[in-house]
Amino acid sequence: MRTEPFAAVDVIRAKRDGGRLSDEQIDWTIDAYTRGAIAEEQMSALAMAIFLRGMDSAEIARWTGAMIESGERLDLHVSRPTVDKHSTGGVGDKITLPLAPLVAACGAAVPQLSGRGLGHTGGTLDKLESIPGWRAELSTAEIVKQLDEIGAVVCAATEGLAPADRKLYALRDVTSTVESIPLIASSIMSKKIAEGSAGLVLDVKTGSGAFMKTREQARELARTLVEIGTAHGVATTALLTDMSVPLGNAVGNAIEVAESVDVLRGGGPADVVELTLALAREMLALAGLSEVDPAEVLASGRAYETWCRMISSQGGDPEASLPKPQHIHVFEAPRDGTLSTLDAYSVGVAAWRLGAGRARRGEAVQYAAGILCLAKPGDPVVAGQPLLELHTDTPDAVPAALASLDGGVLVTDSAPAREPGSIVLETVRPS
Ligand code: URA
């Protein structure tokens, strides 16, 4: 039997009592947990100790490095500069869908290894899987080939990428230890650094629909992410963006794909276009392509062409009709006035309850379920006017969805309209 250099109980006690973990303790903890030599209950206790006591920058950097080393690194030898985007997750956040083909059409290579949704935030792969025939699982060779030929890949992370995070994230999910800056930052960055992209733009959400409810927390997370990326030689920038209101009008799976296609065809909601272009500019700057104007490329139709090639290359039919819901419930304005609140978290939970998301890993999602927002904060409305469409294949889910909208959709006498240009709140660059 292998002799272990540390005992898990001593590592837990050190962190529980507010101490810092040594490099050797961190390397051993991640390695031993990955190979099953630290029990799930011990890792649960350590995750809670980290949640409560925090970690300093050196501990976070080492913890991230150990998680990267737990698996393989992708070797993305392609002819274009590689740059990726990661969002900390929000409601109606379909930005990857128009962004990846847009940045590819501008000349970069975008390797978007994405996840499935859990809880009230949707998952990019669930959205794309609503396209008939589309396949999320690709081999490393297929990823590299598609990046070289088309410039954009959105697919599932390969099994071997940061396996320590895969295990730890599932554990954090059921032990209430997700919302910890050291644990979130190391989780995101271990996967992104192992993915092998040279540049990375982080979309750090703040507001009711985000993990980080306050701007201060979001700023701290953004700084931590940028610090880790820079320390690992990845050119990293973060945008702090508003997630108090759902992004765009569509929240769900197939309806978010449809809205993304509208953007790629030159239309779509103003906030989705604004954020797509802001992220594209940052990505192009990191890729050394700042002379290319993404707004021009979007208007030219070249991003839409790249989208069609990207979807077809993964077996999908970009022209196929998308799944339609079996039932639509219309939510009406209760009075005349102005829509003053459309709370992202409430809408996200309602869409999830309608079947757009899953409560447990591995559950199936309904591709047609979701919410279509027919008005946004600042819009004048009259009593009886449809404000939201609730889409589902299971009408029994409607009362629970309506309950989660209670207090989250308000009509008052007046309210300020949301200013154009107010989605991006701050930019965080390496110091
Ligand atoms: N996304 C991740 O990949 N990890 C986290 O911990 C939170 C969001």
Side-chain angles (χ1 to χ4, degrees):
M1 210 176 105
R2 181 170 178 164
T3 311
E4 302 291 345
F6 296 98
V9 72
D10 294 333
V11 178
I12 298 165
R13 188 183 310 111
K15 190 42 81 182
R16 182 200 68 187
D17 294 346
R20 70 177 302 285
L21 303 181
S22 67
D23 290 353
E24 294 73 22
Q25 280 175 317
I26 291 174
D27 293 350
W28 173 77
T29 299
I30 297 294
D31 174 57
Y33 178 57
T34 310
R35 60 186 160 80
I38 292 183
E40 295 291 342
E41 59 271 22
Q42 292 178 311
M43 198 58 170
S44 306
L46 181 58
M48 187 57 83
I50 294 170
F51 183 97
L52 295 171
R53 294 295 198 165
M55 277 180 155
D56 66 24
S57 320
E59 285 177 292
I60 300 174
R62 189 75 184 200
W63 186 272
T64 309
M67 298 231 287
I68 298 168
E69 294 309 317
S70 73
E72 67 189 16
R73 280 181 191 240
L74 286 195
D75 189 5
L76 296 180
H77 268 109
V78 292
S79 51
R80 308 156 174 238
T82 50
V83 63
D84 191 12
K85 184 256 346 181
H86 179 83
S87 157
T88 56
V91 177
D93 185 3
K94 72 276 300 170
I95 300 294
T96 291
L97 277 53
L99 181 67
L102 171 60
V103 173
C106 292
V110 186
Q112 261 280 336
L113 272 51
S114 301
R116 290 193 164 74
L118 193 71
H120 76 280
T121 61
T124 301
L125 301 182
D126 296 325
K127 296 171 198 185
L128 285 167
E129 278 175 345
S130 68
I131 302 173
W134 187 83
R135 186 165 62 92
E137 316 289 335
L138 297 186
S139 67
T140 305
E142 285 173 316
I143 294 173
V144 172
K145 182 166 183 281
Q146 189 170 320
L147 270 182
D148 243 340
E149 290 175 356
I150 302 170
V153 179
V154 184
C155 66
T158 53
E159 282 289 314
L161 215 70
D165 177 65
R166 200 175 286 264
K167 227 177 143 186
L168 184 54
Y169 191 76
L171 183 72
R172 287 167 55 214
D173 202 35
V174 293
T175 54
S176 235
T177 49
V178 170
E179 300 92 337
S180 146
I181 288 180
L183 294 176
I184 294 177
S186 53
S187 163
I188 292 174
M189 294 307 285
S190 60
K191 287 173 288 202
K192 287 289 150 182
I193 294 167
E195 178 192 279
S197 175
L200 176 64
V201 177
L202 296 147
D203 179 1
V204 180
K205 306 278 187 203
T206 177
S208 75
F211 279 127
M212 299 289 120
K213 306 291 179 205
T214 70
R215 195 140 155 188
E216 289 67 35
Q217 288 173 324
R219 191 181 294 127
E220 191 188 334
L221 176 60
R223 286 196 182 130
T224 308
L225 293 165
V226 169
E227 211 172 283
I228 299 174
T230 310
H232 281 88
V234 178
T236 311
T237 305
L239 300 186
L240 245 62
T241 70
D242 181 40
M243 188 26 75
S244 52
V245 174
L247 249 178
N249 302 328
V251 179
N253 298 309
I255 47 172
E256 290 200 33
V257 172
E259 189 167 274
S260 304
V261 170
D262 288 346
V263 170
L264 287 160
R265 286 184 148 151
D271 57 351
V272 179
V273 176
E274 178 186 329
L275 185 53
T276 302
L277 291 176
L279 289 163
R281 288 193 183 100
E282 289 295 335
M283 290 170 77
L284 292 171
L286 294 184
L289 294 165
S290 33
E291 73 288 355
V292 184
D293 178 3
E296 221 169 76
V297 174
L298 187 62
S300 73
R302 296 210 307 279
Y304 178 63
E305 280 165 30
T306 305
W307 159 265
C308 293
R309 291 179 65 208
M310 177 181 106
I311 296 300
S312 307
S313 166
Q314 290 175 238
D317 176 359
E319 305 294 333
S321 32
L322 293 166
K324 295 272 180 297
Q326 288 169 24
H327 178 80
I328 295 183
H329 176 94
V330 177
F331 180 107
E332 297 173 350
R335 50 166 284 196
D336 292 355
T338 304
L339 182 65
S340 55
T341 300
L342 182 62
D343 179 64
Y345 181 72
S346 308
V347 175
V349 174
W352 167 55
R353 288 188 167 162
L354 290 167
R358 55 174 68 77
R360 290 168 191 278
R361 243 161 246 279
E363 267 180 10
V365 298
Q366 292 179 28
Y367 293 126
I371 293 187
L372 192 59
C373 305
L374 304 170
K376 293 296 280 270
D379 289 353
V381 298
V382 294
Q385 175 182 331
L387 295 183
L388 304 174
E389 275 183 12
L390 278 58
H391 295 192
T392 186
D393 295 335
T394 44
D396 290 357
V398 170
L402 289 173
S404 52
L405 289 171
D406 196 25
V409 186
L410 298 178
V411 176
T412 51
D413 289 336
S414 63
R418 208 178 190 202
E419 295 295 321
S422 60
I423 298 281
V424 178
L425 305 170
E426 285 176 39
T427 304
V428 177
R429 299 186 197 283
S431 43

